[in-house]
Each structure stands twice: as C-alpha cells, then as structure tokens.
Amino acid sequence: MSEWILFEVFVRSKHGLNHKHVGSVHAADANMALESARDLYTRRNEGVSIWVVPSAQITATAGDEKEPFFDPSQDKVYRHASFYELPDEVGHM
Amino acid sequence: MYAQLVETGVKRVKSLEEMTPEERAFQERIDAEIKIEPKNWMPDAYRQTLIRQISQHAHSEIVGMLPEGNWVTRAPTLKRKLQLMAKIQDEAGHGMYLYSAMETLGADRDAEIDKLHSGKAKYSSIFNYPTLNWADMGAVGWLVDGAAIVNQVVLQRTSYGPYSRAMIRICKEESFHQRQGYEILLTMMRHGTQAQKDMVQDAIDRLWWPALMMFGPSDADSPNSAQSMAWKVKRMSNDDLRQRFIDQTVPQLEFLGCTAPDPDLKWNEERGHYDFGPINWQEFYDVLKGNGPCNRERVSTRRKAIEDGAWVREAAVAHAAKRQQKQNAA
Amino acid sequence: MTDNKNDLIEYLLRLGDNAMINGQRLCEWCGRAPALEEEMALMNVGLDLVGQARNWYEYAAELLADGRDADQLAFRRDERAYRNTLLVEQPNGDYAVTTAKLFLFDAWHFHTLSALSASSDERIAAIAAKGLKEVTYHLRRSGEWVERLGDGTEQSRQRMLAGIDEVWRFTFDLLSSDEIQQRLAAAGIGADATAVAAAWQATVEQVFERASLPVPQPASYFYLDGKRGLHTEHLGILLAEMQFLQRAYPDATW
C-alpha cells in the first residue's frame, strides 16, 4: 500500500489549450502534489497552469462501455459545420 | 535495453483459434495496432508482464542515477555540472513517468520498489558497473543512453497506451543525453591532453561489452520473446536491436579516433552490417544474478535512501492529516 | 570607483560562492533523497543555484579581468579565498538538517535578491531578478517542509528541533554585515544587510509559528566569518572533491 496518495496531473500548455492529462505523482497533500507535478512535468517550460486531482476521485468510463458511450455520436453529423451547405455567394461563415 | 529477460509466464503463444472470445478480441485489437488502454480487458499474463517490464525499466532509470551521482559532485566545469545535473534529473523524471504508467495497470509503486530492494525485481545489468573516471560520464551518455534509445524508439509503438506515451515523452527528452555524452568524449579527444585521451579509451574499453549486453541474450535463448512480440510489448528482436546499435555506433567510434575492445569487429559488405565477436553471456547472467561489481552497493544505496526517508514521508502524511482536521474543524 | 570595483568583485564572489556551495551540497543528495519526488525537487533547486553561481562568477570574472573565467573562480580557488556563508558548507545531515539549512538560507537569499533586483547596477539587478523567481519557489518549498517536519510526527518534530539547533549558530555569519556591504548598500548597488536581516527574521518567525517551532534567540558571534574566508573545516573537504579534476589535470580541456 502506498504511503502517499496518487494524484493525476493535468497541465495547460502555453498555447491556451485545455488542461491535458500528463501522468501522476505521489504526494502527502495537494500542495506537495502541485510542486512535484511542477518539477516533474514542466521541466522544459511545458506549462502555465497545473491541476492535480486525487486519482481515487476520478470516475472514468469503462473500456467495454465505449460503444454505448461514444458510438451514438458518430452519426450526429448535423453537429458539425461541414454538414451545412451554403451557396458560395454567402462567403465565409 | 532497460528491460532484460522479462518473464511472461507463458510457455507457448496461443493461436487465435485456441483463444477465448475475449482473448481473441484483445489480440485482434493489438494486431490492428489499436492501443490497449487501462480500462480495457486484458489477459492477466499481459498485465503481469507489463508490470514486470515497465517496473524494471523504471528501476533502471532510478538506479541509473547512481553511477552518475558518483561524478556529479566532481564535474570539471560549471557547464558540465549543469548538464549532468539536468540529465540525472531527467532520469529521476523518466523513472517516475514509467512508474506512473505502471500504476495504471493496478500495480503499486511502493510495492514494486520493495521488490527492487529485496532483490526480487531486476534492473538493467549495465548499472552494476562502476564509473571510474570522468570519461565514463561521456561513455555512459553515448553508449548506455544510446543503447537505451535504440530500444525505446521502437517501444514508442508498444501496444499499451500509457507505456507508449511515456516512451514518446522520454525519447523526446532523452535526445540530448546521448549528444551530451558524445560531446564530452569528443572534447577530450580533440582538445584534451594525452591523459584525457587515455581516459576516453579506458572508459570505452570497460563499457563497450556491457553496453552490448544491455539488449539481452540472443532471441534463440530468450524463451519469452515470442509472446512479448505477439503482444507487441516488444517490437524488435534483441539481436536486431543490438545490430542496429552497433551499426550506428561504430562510425561514431571511429570519428572519435578510438577503438572497441573487439578484434572481430569489422564491416561485412555482404551482410551490410558490422560483424562482432562473441559476447560473454556468463558475465551477463552473473551480473543479473547479483554478482556484478556494484550490485550490492546500488541496491543498498537505494534501500537505505527509502528506509532513512521513512520518517520524512510519515511526517508529511501526519502533517497533511492534521491540516485536514483543522480545515474540517474551521 | 576603484574601491567600489574591488568591493563589487568581493560581493559577487560571496553571492556566487553561496549558490555554488549550496548547489554542491544538493548534488550530494543524488540517489539518496527520502522520496523520488524529492529527488527531482532537490536536483531542481541545485540546478537553479549552480546556474546562478555561474552568472555571478561571469560578472566577477569580467570585472577582475585577470584572465580567470567563471570556471577558474569556481574550481581553482582555495578555501581561504572562498566567500560563502558558513551555513551552506555544513554537511547535509539528515533531512531535517538539510531542510533547516535550506530554509534559513532561502529566506536570506529571497530577501537579498529582492533587494538586489532594484540595484543601481543593471547587471546585478538583472541576475537577481532572474534568480528571484527561482528562489521564491525554493523558499515556498523549504518553508513547507519546515512545517511538515516541525508539525508532523513526534519524531520528525524532535529531528527538526535538533536540525535547527545544529545550524542556527551559523545564522550570525549569514546575517552579519561588514564595510563592503555597507559601502555597496550606501551606493545603491548592494542589499542593505540590516533590512535583509529584519525581513529574514520576520519570515523565519512566520514559518516557525505555522510549524509550532520555537524561534531561537539570535545567534551570537561565532569567531569564524565566511565572508573573510574563515570557514569551518567542512569546506576544504568539499572543495577537494568538487575541484578534483581541475586540480589534478590543470592543463586539461573539459
């Protein structure tokens, strides 16, 4: 059994994108987890913001739920801009 | 190769017809180059093999800090000191990326590290050799990291998603390690004194064969290779990786103006590869079993670090609990 | 101005030597830290410090203009020529001693670099401002560890008290001031040592209070003085190791 808690680490890069999962660290508390994550995952100037979340707090979809969870969105083409045809005269939209 | 002789616990690779439907779906996914993710179903032997392989890889990164730690306090210039510190720090980081990938399989980091300390888990044989002069820092970067990179580049395509992603990150970061090592040697050979040139040749003489052993025994003598290849947790044979490493390293060796301690090393026009002499596998097995020059020191240093640090880690946990209590009370 | 120049060289060497020796002690932790996460953190702090030392040495070497470069300043001076504070040369001891050393130094370093960021010497201001970002983080980290160990378990508390007791006497040397500092402070170049000492005291009190640790009485005069090259016996051994290659192979190129 681990002495320290496992935290999942999410880093937002400079480019203004969403926080992205990069891995995990062990820490006794959230502050320590933030600092360890900073030392471990942003050594090469990779981030401007870090989130840490206790791994136990994450609820994830199961691998075998892929079909019911994600396949139904495959045929909802009307959610994508390219579904809609406009005459060229309308210009860029 | 940082993971040598990884046990799969499988005697014979099953054909698709022999598999259960779950096993077959799993194998077909791998055959189609679709990554296996933590929540996907996987055979227990696959899970256990990966835990062994990734933890061995991680242990190697951590133990690998020690031969360099032996010289970081004696680095000859500010630049070399900074480079070596950054490299050692990367190794700690890479060990942690790998443990992190391993934990997605349900393994516990502390438990796996315990196995290292009790001698149950292996790590790369190379780190059981001593670093005896400054040129060893160059030779380790060039030959040892070089050999590791040959292996890791291929492992970027491994079937397990978190392992593959850790490899991609590690390969990206490690590109400077090998160059750093080679530059140390090149500077000493080009601008150094005779004493320095002798150091370089001495380092190569000692580390050449152990570096070739890093890829593990010939595949004919590796009973686990077939299953590992089928699962794509291994993507090229030991012999092919070793040959690739030798072929790319010999021209660099010649450019340095140094020689390898192998009278049989020569270009084979017909094969399009370098031929090389027989490897002393008895030495390899001895070192792996714990009888290398530094096995005891390496493991006991790591064990002592974690044992001596127990009160520190406990204090951090106790403090966090106290803080939580205060917060709840407030 | 000549006076100022010699003062300045002396002052830069003190800053450089503090960072260098502290960084060297951190290198000794390699592979021996109490957790992998700390392995990363200590090497990170060490990297920052050796990088800062190089910046200070390069400036000192330019002013010296005697053919010595930053490496020669780091690797070819004897202990009597070294100008670091006694605190940083002390052996690492257990993690409590190391934490005490780091925190007491970081607090001083933070307030010193804060002051130097406003130095009238632009080069100093630039080096200090860059270093200050790093040292702000060092101080946050070591301060949190003082809290964790001071207010953790009974054992960690006893060790933390012993660790502070072990190195507290060197804070006299850390906080004391001499004519060089006074002249440079008056010229707007150096940090005002008295103001730094007061700010240091406030930081230490704040963190010790959070850690439920008593603040010892101010340290008293200690005979030795790192600024004048009067060191404890530990520095000579440390340098013998750190300078080995440069000393053994004086004609070599690395």
Side-chain angles (χ1 to χ4, degrees), chain C residues 55-83:
Chain C
N55 292 337
W56 296 123
Y57 288 148
E58 278 171 356
Y59 189 19
E62 282 171 36
L63 293 175
L64 276 165
D66 60 0
R68 284 186 293 174
D69 60 12
D71 281 328
Q72 280 165 312
L73 291 177
F75 296 101
R76 302 280 182 101
R77 276 178 306 138
D78 289 345
E79 54 188 294
R80 291 287 281 111
Y82 251 81
R83 296 292 181 244

PDB file of all heavy atoms in Angstrom, chain C residues 55-83:
ATOM      1  N   ASN C  55      26.289  32.812 -13.253  1.00  0.00           N
ATOM      2  CA  ASN C  55      26.024  34.210 -13.618  1.00  0.00           C
ATOM      3  C   ASN C  55      26.846  35.184 -12.780  1.00  0.00           C
ATOM      4  O   ASN C  55      27.427  36.136 -13.292  1.00  0.00           O
ATOM      5  CB  ASN C  55      24.537  34.532 -13.451  1.00  0.00           C
ATOM      6  CG  ASN C  55      23.686  33.790 -14.468  1.00  0.00           C
ATOM      7  OD1 ASN C  55      24.181  33.399 -15.528  1.00  0.00           O
ATOM      8  ND2 ASN C  55      22.425  33.577 -14.139  1.00  0.00           N
ATOM      9  N   TRP C  56      26.902  34.939 -11.483  1.00  0.00           N
ATOM     10  CA  TRP C  56      27.676  35.839 -10.616  1.00  0.00           C
ATOM     11  C   TRP C  56      29.166  35.751 -10.941  1.00  0.00           C
ATOM     12  O   TRP C  56      29.868  36.762 -11.001  1.00  0.00           O
ATOM     13  CB  TRP C  56      27.460  35.510  -9.134  1.00  0.00           C
ATOM     14  CG  TRP C  56      26.052  35.697  -8.621  1.00  0.00           C
ATOM     15  CD1 TRP C  56      25.275  34.751  -8.021  1.00  0.00           C
ATOM     16  CD2 TRP C  56      25.259  36.898  -8.629  1.00  0.00           C
ATOM     17  NE1 TRP C  56      24.049  35.273  -7.662  1.00  0.00           N
ATOM     18  CE2 TRP C  56      24.014  36.591  -8.024  1.00  0.00           C
ATOM     19  CE3 TRP C  56      25.467  38.202  -9.099  1.00  0.00           C
ATOM     20  CZ2 TRP C  56      22.989  37.536  -7.862  1.00  0.00           C
ATOM     21  CZ3 TRP C  56      24.447  39.147  -8.950  1.00  0.00           C
ATOM     22  CH2 TRP C  56      23.232  38.811  -8.342  1.00  0.00           C
ATOM     23  N   TYR C  57      29.654  34.533 -11.140  1.00  0.00           N
ATOM     24  CA  TYR C  57      31.087  34.359 -11.440  1.00  0.00           C
ATOM     25  C   TYR C  57      31.481  35.025 -12.754  1.00  0.00           C
ATOM     26  O   TYR C  57      32.558  35.598 -12.881  1.00  0.00           O
ATOM     27  CB  TYR C  57      31.449  32.869 -11.522  1.00  0.00           C
ATOM     28  CG  TYR C  57      31.470  32.137 -10.197  1.00  0.00           C
ATOM     29  CD1 TYR C  57      31.131  30.783 -10.127  1.00  0.00           C
ATOM     30  CD2 TYR C  57      31.851  32.783  -9.015  1.00  0.00           C
ATOM     31  CE1 TYR C  57      31.156  30.088  -8.924  1.00  0.00           C
ATOM     32  CE2 TYR C  57      31.876  32.095  -7.807  1.00  0.00           C
ATOM     33  CZ  TYR C  57      31.529  30.751  -7.760  1.00  0.00           C
ATOM     34  OH  TYR C  57      31.553  30.069  -6.578  1.00  0.00           O
ATOM     35  N   GLU C  58      30.590  34.921 -13.729  1.00  0.00           N
ATOM     36  CA  GLU C  58      30.931  35.515 -15.026  1.00  0.00           C
ATOM     37  C   GLU C  58      31.096  37.027 -14.893  1.00  0.00           C
ATOM     38  O   GLU C  58      32.024  37.612 -15.456  1.00  0.00           O
ATOM     39  CB  GLU C  58      29.859  35.173 -16.073  1.00  0.00           C
ATOM     40  CG  GLU C  58      30.087  33.780 -16.651  1.00  0.00           C
ATOM     41  CD  GLU C  58      28.948  33.285 -17.532  1.00  0.00           C
ATOM     42  OE1 GLU C  58      27.917  33.990 -17.639  1.00  0.00           O
ATOM     43  OE2 GLU C  58      29.097  32.172 -18.086  1.00  0.00           O
ATOM     44  N   TYR C  59      30.207  37.608 -14.134  1.00  0.00           N
ATOM     45  CA  TYR C  59      30.316  39.065 -13.920  1.00  0.00           C
ATOM     46  C   TYR C  59      31.587  39.380 -13.132  1.00  0.00           C
ATOM     47  O   TYR C  59      32.350  40.291 -13.501  1.00  0.00           O
ATOM     48  CB  TYR C  59      29.065  39.557 -13.187  1.00  0.00           C
ATOM     49  CG  TYR C  59      28.933  41.074 -13.087  1.00  0.00           C
ATOM     50  CD1 TYR C  59      29.649  41.923 -13.924  1.00  0.00           C
ATOM     51  CD2 TYR C  59      28.060  41.650 -12.161  1.00  0.00           C
ATOM     52  CE1 TYR C  59      29.519  43.310 -13.836  1.00  0.00           C
ATOM     53  CE2 TYR C  59      27.908  43.031 -12.062  1.00  0.00           C
ATOM     54  CZ  TYR C  59      28.648  43.858 -12.896  1.00  0.00           C
ATOM     55  OH  TYR C  59      28.518  45.213 -12.802  1.00  0.00           O
ATOM     56  N   ALA C  60      31.860  38.615 -12.107  1.00  0.00           N
ATOM     57  CA  ALA C  60      33.075  38.829 -11.307  1.00  0.00           C
ATOM     58  C   ALA C  60      34.317  38.681 -12.175  1.00  0.00           C
ATOM     59  O   ALA C  60      35.257  39.487 -12.080  1.00  0.00           O
ATOM     60  CB  ALA C  60      33.118  37.851 -10.138  1.00  0.00           C
ATOM     61  N   ALA C  61      34.313  37.683 -13.045  1.00  0.00           N
ATOM     62  CA  ALA C  61      35.484  37.441 -13.898  1.00  0.00           C
ATOM     63  C   ALA C  61      35.716  38.619 -14.842  1.00  0.00           C
ATOM     64  O   ALA C  61      36.857  39.032 -15.070  1.00  0.00           O
ATOM     65  CB  ALA C  61      35.295  36.152 -14.689  1.00  0.00           C
ATOM     66  N   GLU C  62      34.632  39.185 -15.369  1.00  0.00           N
ATOM     67  CA  GLU C  62      34.784  40.346 -16.250  1.00  0.00           C
ATOM     68  C   GLU C  62      35.407  41.521 -15.509  1.00  0.00           C
ATOM     69  O   GLU C  62      36.272  42.214 -16.034  1.00  0.00           O
ATOM     70  CB  GLU C  62      33.418  40.773 -16.799  1.00  0.00           C
ATOM     71  CG  GLU C  62      32.933  39.891 -17.925  1.00  0.00           C
ATOM     72  CD  GLU C  62      31.489  40.195 -18.289  1.00  0.00           C
ATOM     73  OE1 GLU C  62      31.083  41.373 -18.241  1.00  0.00           O
ATOM     74  OE2 GLU C  62      30.752  39.222 -18.608  1.00  0.00           O
ATOM     75  N   LEU C  63      34.958  41.724 -14.282  1.00  0.00           N
ATOM     76  CA  LEU C  63      35.493  42.853 -13.520  1.00  0.00           C
ATOM     77  C   LEU C  63      36.941  42.593 -13.097  1.00  0.00           C
ATOM     78  O   LEU C  63      37.772  43.497 -13.090  1.00  0.00           O
ATOM     79  CB  LEU C  63      34.635  43.114 -12.280  1.00  0.00           C
ATOM     80  CG  LEU C  63      33.208  43.608 -12.536  1.00  0.00           C
ATOM     81  CD1 LEU C  63      32.430  43.709 -11.228  1.00  0.00           C
ATOM     82  CD2 LEU C  63      33.210  44.960 -13.241  1.00  0.00           C
ATOM     83  N   LEU C  64      37.233  41.357 -12.761  1.00  0.00           N
ATOM     84  CA  LEU C  64      38.601  41.009 -12.366  1.00  0.00           C
ATOM     85  C   LEU C  64      39.561  41.219 -13.529  1.00  0.00           C
ATOM     86  O   LEU C  64      40.664  41.748 -13.349  1.00  0.00           O
ATOM     87  CB  LEU C  64      38.673  39.543 -11.927  1.00  0.00           C
ATOM     88  CG  LEU C  64      38.297  39.237 -10.480  1.00  0.00           C
ATOM     89  CD1 LEU C  64      38.051  37.746 -10.300  1.00  0.00           C
ATOM     90  CD2 LEU C  64      39.396  39.711  -9.530  1.00  0.00           C
ATOM     91  N   ALA C  65      39.138  40.775 -14.710  1.00  0.00           N
ATOM     92  CA  ALA C  65      39.936  40.927 -15.930  1.00  0.00           C
ATOM     93  C   ALA C  65      41.378  40.483 -15.724  1.00  0.00           C
ATOM     94  O   ALA C  65      42.319  41.125 -16.190  1.00  0.00           O
ATOM     95  CB  ALA C  65      39.874  42.380 -16.421  1.00  0.00           C
ATOM     96  N   ASP C  66      41.565  39.381 -14.998  1.00  0.00           N
ATOM     97  CA  ASP C  66      42.932  38.882 -14.786  1.00  0.00           C
ATOM     98  C   ASP C  66      43.140  37.549 -15.513  1.00  0.00           C
ATOM     99  O   ASP C  66      44.054  36.793 -15.206  1.00  0.00           O
ATOM    100  CB  ASP C  66      43.217  38.732 -13.288  1.00  0.00           C
ATOM    101  CG  ASP C  66      42.262  37.746 -12.605  1.00  0.00           C
ATOM    102  OD1 ASP C  66      41.388  37.178 -13.302  1.00  0.00           O
ATOM    103  OD2 ASP C  66      42.381  37.567 -11.382  1.00  0.00           O
ATOM    104  N   GLY C  67      42.285  37.274 -16.487  1.00  0.00           N
ATOM    105  CA  GLY C  67      42.443  36.047 -17.273  1.00  0.00           C
ATOM    106  C   GLY C  67      41.687  34.872 -16.701  1.00  0.00           C
ATOM    107  O   GLY C  67      41.553  33.845 -17.358  1.00  0.00           O
ATOM    108  N   ARG C  68      41.177  35.002 -15.506  1.00  0.00           N
ATOM    109  CA  ARG C  68      40.408  33.889 -14.940  1.00  0.00           C
ATOM    110  C   ARG C  68      38.970  33.954 -15.429  1.00  0.00           C
ATOM    111  O   ARG C  68      38.395  35.038 -15.527  1.00  0.00           O
ATOM    112  CB  ARG C  68      40.431  33.952 -13.406  1.00  0.00           C
ATOM    113  CG  ARG C  68      41.754  33.493 -12.813  1.00  0.00           C
ATOM    114  CD  ARG C  68      41.684  33.432 -11.311  1.00  0.00           C
ATOM    115  NE  ARG C  68      41.543  34.753 -10.709  1.00  0.00           N
ATOM    116  CZ  ARG C  68      41.334  34.939  -9.394  1.00  0.00           C
ATOM    117  NH1 ARG C  68      41.209  33.901  -8.588  1.00  0.00           N
ATOM    118  NH2 ARG C  68      41.248  36.154  -8.913  1.00  0.00           N
ATOM    119  N   ASP C  69      38.404  32.793 -15.726  1.00  0.00           N
ATOM    120  CA  ASP C  69      36.996  32.768 -16.112  1.00  0.00           C
ATOM    121  C   ASP C  69      36.152  32.195 -14.966  1.00  0.00           C
ATOM    122  O   ASP C  69      36.674  31.911 -13.887  1.00  0.00           O
ATOM    123  CB  ASP C  69      36.794  31.977 -17.412  1.00  0.00           C
ATOM    124  CG  ASP C  69      37.243  30.527 -17.274  1.00  0.00           C
ATOM    125  OD1 ASP C  69      37.488  30.066 -16.135  1.00  0.00           O
ATOM    126  OD2 ASP C  69      37.347  29.852 -18.321  1.00  0.00           O
ATOM    127  N   ALA C  70      34.860  32.060 -15.228  1.00  0.00           N
ATOM    128  CA  ALA C  70      33.939  31.605 -14.180  1.00  0.00           C
ATOM    129  C   ALA C  70      34.372  30.243 -13.627  1.00  0.00           C
ATOM    130  O   ALA C  70      34.335  30.004 -12.419  1.00  0.00           O
ATOM    131  CB  ALA C  70      32.515  31.531 -14.729  1.00  0.00           C
ATOM    132  N   ASP C  71      34.801  29.345 -14.527  1.00  0.00           N
ATOM    133  CA  ASP C  71      35.216  28.014 -14.067  1.00  0.00           C
ATOM    134  C   ASP C  71      36.422  28.096 -13.147  1.00  0.00           C
ATOM    135  O   ASP C  71      36.510  27.374 -12.149  1.00  0.00           O
ATOM    136  CB  ASP C  71      35.554  27.122 -15.267  1.00  0.00           C
ATOM    137  CG  ASP C  71      34.302  26.578 -15.931  1.00  0.00           C
ATOM    138  OD1 ASP C  71      33.306  26.363 -15.208  1.00  0.00           O
ATOM    139  OD2 ASP C  71      34.317  26.373 -17.155  1.00  0.00           O
ATOM    140  N   GLN C  72      37.352  28.949 -13.498  1.00  0.00           N
ATOM    141  CA  GLN C  72      38.532  29.043 -12.634  1.00  0.00           C
ATOM    142  C   GLN C  72      38.181  29.629 -11.275  1.00  0.00           C
ATOM    143  O   GLN C  72      38.760  29.250 -10.268  1.00  0.00           O
ATOM    144  CB  GLN C  72      39.623  29.842 -13.335  1.00  0.00           C
ATOM    145  CG  GLN C  72      40.348  28.952 -14.336  1.00  0.00           C
ATOM    146  CD  GLN C  72      41.185  29.743 -15.307  1.00  0.00           C
ATOM    147  OE1 GLN C  72      40.713  30.724 -15.891  1.00  0.00           O
ATOM    148  NE2 GLN C  72      42.427  29.330 -15.473  1.00  0.00           N
ATOM    149  N   LEU C  73      37.226  30.540 -11.271  1.00  0.00           N
ATOM    150  CA  LEU C  73      36.796  31.078  -9.979  1.00  0.00           C
ATOM    151  C   LEU C  73      36.146  29.975  -9.140  1.00  0.00           C
ATOM    152  O   LEU C  73      36.342  29.898  -7.932  1.00  0.00           O
ATOM    153  CB  LEU C  73      35.829  32.243 -10.176  1.00  0.00           C
ATOM    154  CG  LEU C  73      36.463  33.512 -10.769  1.00  0.00           C
ATOM    155  CD1 LEU C  73      35.394  34.584 -10.993  1.00  0.00           C
ATOM    156  CD2 LEU C  73      37.568  34.055  -9.858  1.00  0.00           C
ATOM    157  N   ALA C  74      35.392  29.112  -9.788  1.00  0.00           N
ATOM    158  CA  ALA C  74      34.705  28.062  -9.037  1.00  0.00           C
ATOM    159  C   ALA C  74      35.659  26.944  -8.628  1.00  0.00           C
ATOM    160  O   ALA C  74      35.598  26.449  -7.503  1.00  0.00           O
ATOM    161  CB  ALA C  74      33.563  27.481  -9.877  1.00  0.00           C
ATOM    162  N   PHE C  75      36.549  26.560  -9.545  1.00  0.00           N
ATOM    163  CA  PHE C  75      37.291  25.312  -9.338  1.00  0.00           C
ATOM    164  C   PHE C  75      38.772  25.485  -9.001  1.00  0.00           C
ATOM    165  O   PHE C  75      39.473  24.506  -8.802  1.00  0.00           O
ATOM    166  CB  PHE C  75      37.151  24.426 -10.576  1.00  0.00           C
ATOM    167  CG  PHE C  75      35.731  23.986 -10.838  1.00  0.00           C
ATOM    168  CD1 PHE C  75      34.951  24.617 -11.797  1.00  0.00           C
ATOM    169  CD2 PHE C  75      35.169  22.956 -10.093  1.00  0.00           C
ATOM    170  CE1 PHE C  75      33.640  24.216 -12.023  1.00  0.00           C
ATOM    171  CE2 PHE C  75      33.859  22.552 -10.315  1.00  0.00           C
ATOM    172  CZ  PHE C  75      33.097  23.182 -11.276  1.00  0.00           C
ATOM    173  N   ARG C  76      39.264  26.730  -8.942  1.00  0.00           N
ATOM    174  CA  ARG C  76      40.690  26.884  -8.661  1.00  0.00           C
ATOM    175  C   ARG C  76      40.983  27.761  -7.443  1.00  0.00           C
ATOM    176  O   ARG C  76      42.132  28.104  -7.202  1.00  0.00           O
ATOM    177  CB  ARG C  76      41.418  27.489  -9.880  1.00  0.00           C
ATOM    178  CG  ARG C  76      41.279  26.694 -11.165  1.00  0.00           C
ATOM    179  CD  ARG C  76      42.231  25.512 -11.200  1.00  0.00           C
ATOM    180  NE  ARG C  76      42.099  24.801 -12.470  1.00  0.00           N
ATOM    181  CZ  ARG C  76      42.942  24.923 -13.504  1.00  0.00           C
ATOM    182  NH1 ARG C  76      43.979  25.714 -13.403  1.00  0.00           N
ATOM    183  NH2 ARG C  76      42.747  24.263 -14.616  1.00  0.00           N
ATOM    184  N   ARG C  77      39.956  28.176  -6.734  1.00  0.00           N
ATOM    185  CA  ARG C  77      40.244  28.961  -5.524  1.00  0.00           C
ATOM    186  C   ARG C  77      40.262  28.057  -4.295  1.00  0.00           C
ATOM    187  O   ARG C  77      39.446  27.142  -4.184  1.00  0.00           O
ATOM    188  CB  ARG C  77      39.190  30.068  -5.334  1.00  0.00           C
ATOM    189  CG  ARG C  77      39.487  31.340  -6.133  1.00  0.00           C
ATOM    190  CD  ARG C  77      38.396  32.382  -5.945  1.00  0.00           C
ATOM    191  NE  ARG C  77      37.089  31.824  -6.259  1.00  0.00           N
ATOM    192  CZ  ARG C  77      35.993  32.039  -5.556  1.00  0.00           C
ATOM    193  NH1 ARG C  77      36.018  32.829  -4.491  1.00  0.00           N
ATOM    194  NH2 ARG C  77      34.859  31.478  -5.918  1.00  0.00           N
ATOM    195  N   ASP C  78      41.160  28.323  -3.385  1.00  0.00           N
ATOM    196  CA  ASP C  78      41.255  27.547  -2.145  1.00  0.00           C
ATOM    197  C   ASP C  78      40.207  28.006  -1.143  1.00  0.00           C
ATOM    198  O   ASP C  78      39.576  29.043  -1.322  1.00  0.00           O
ATOM    199  CB  ASP C  78      42.646  27.722  -1.519  1.00  0.00           C
ATOM    200  CG  ASP C  78      43.714  27.010  -2.340  1.00  0.00           C
ATOM    201  OD1 ASP C  78      43.345  26.183  -3.194  1.00  0.00           O
ATOM    202  OD2 ASP C  78      44.899  27.310  -2.127  1.00  0.00           O
ATOM    203  N   GLU C  79      40.097  27.265  -0.079  1.00  0.00           N
ATOM    204  CA  GLU C  79      39.040  27.583   0.884  1.00  0.00           C
ATOM    205  C   GLU C  79      39.186  28.972   1.492  1.00  0.00           C
ATOM    206  O   GLU C  79      38.199  29.627   1.768  1.00  0.00           O
ATOM    207  CB  GLU C  79      38.951  26.514   1.978  1.00  0.00           C
ATOM    208  CG  GLU C  79      40.248  26.224   2.695  1.00  0.00           C
ATOM    209  CD  GLU C  79      40.101  25.017   3.634  1.00  0.00           C
ATOM    210  OE1 GLU C  79      39.347  25.110   4.610  1.00  0.00           O
ATOM    211  OE2 GLU C  79      40.758  24.007   3.369  1.00  0.00           O
ATOM    212  N   ARG C  80      40.411  29.442   1.677  1.00  0.00           N
ATOM    213  CA  ARG C  80      40.573  30.779   2.265  1.00  0.00           C
ATOM    214  C   ARG C  80      40.099  31.878   1.316  1.00  0.00           C
ATOM    215  O   ARG C  80      39.838  33.003   1.736  1.00  0.00           O
ATOM    216  CB  ARG C  80      42.035  31.012   2.663  1.00  0.00           C
ATOM    217  CG  ARG C  80      42.504  30.170   3.844  1.00  0.00           C
ATOM    218  CD  ARG C  80      41.941  30.637   5.195  1.00  0.00           C
ATOM    219  NE  ARG C  80      42.642  31.809   5.727  1.00  0.00           N
ATOM    220  CZ  ARG C  80      42.099  33.015   5.826  1.00  0.00           C
ATOM    221  NH1 ARG C  80      40.845  33.219   5.426  1.00  0.00           N
ATOM    222  NH2 ARG C  80      42.790  34.013   6.329  1.00  0.00           N
ATOM    223  N   ALA C  81      40.040  31.547   0.025  1.00  0.00           N
ATOM    224  CA  ALA C  81      39.574  32.535  -0.953  1.00  0.00           C
ATOM    225  C   ALA C  81      38.072  32.420  -1.201  1.00  0.00           C
ATOM    226  O   ALA C  81      37.486  33.266  -1.876  1.00  0.00           O
ATOM    227  CB  ALA C  81      40.336  32.379  -2.265  1.00  0.00           C
ATOM    228  N   TYR C  82      37.468  31.388  -0.662  1.00  0.00           N
ATOM    229  CA  TYR C  82      36.017  31.210  -0.826  1.00  0.00           C
ATOM    230  C   TYR C  82      35.266  32.121   0.134  1.00  0.00           C
ATOM    231  O   TYR C  82      35.671  32.314   1.270  1.00  0.00           O
ATOM    232  CB  TYR C  82      35.625  29.735  -0.645  1.00  0.00           C
ATOM    233  CG  TYR C  82      35.205  29.101  -1.954  1.00  0.00           C
ATOM    234  CD1 TYR C  82      36.156  28.643  -2.864  1.00  0.00           C
ATOM    235  CD2 TYR C  82      33.868  29.016  -2.305  1.00  0.00           C
ATOM    236  CE1 TYR C  82      35.772  28.100  -4.083  1.00  0.00           C
ATOM    237  CE2 TYR C  82      33.473  28.476  -3.526  1.00  0.00           C
ATOM    238  CZ  TYR C  82      34.430  28.020  -4.413  1.00  0.00           C
ATOM    239  OH  TYR C  82      34.043  27.497  -5.621  1.00  0.00           O
ATOM    240  N   ARG C  83      34.158  32.683  -0.324  1.00  0.00           N
ATOM    241  CA  ARG C  83      33.474  33.754   0.412  1.00  0.00           C
ATOM    242  C   ARG C  83      32.046  33.387   0.840  1.00  0.00           C
ATOM    243  O   ARG C  83      31.272  34.259   1.197  1.00  0.00           O
ATOM    244  CB  ARG C  83      33.404  34.999  -0.487  1.00  0.00           C
ATOM    245  CG  ARG C  83      34.763  35.582  -0.835  1.00  0.00           C
ATOM    246  CD  ARG C  83      35.399  36.180   0.421  1.00  0.00           C
ATOM    247  NE  ARG C  83      36.692  36.776   0.158  1.00  0.00           N
ATOM    248  CZ  ARG C  83      37.842  36.339   0.688  1.00  0.00           C
ATOM    249  NH1 ARG C  83      37.846  35.270   1.469  1.00  0.00           N
ATOM    250  NH2 ARG C  83      38.974  36.952   0.429  1.00  0.00           N
TER     251      ARG C  83
END
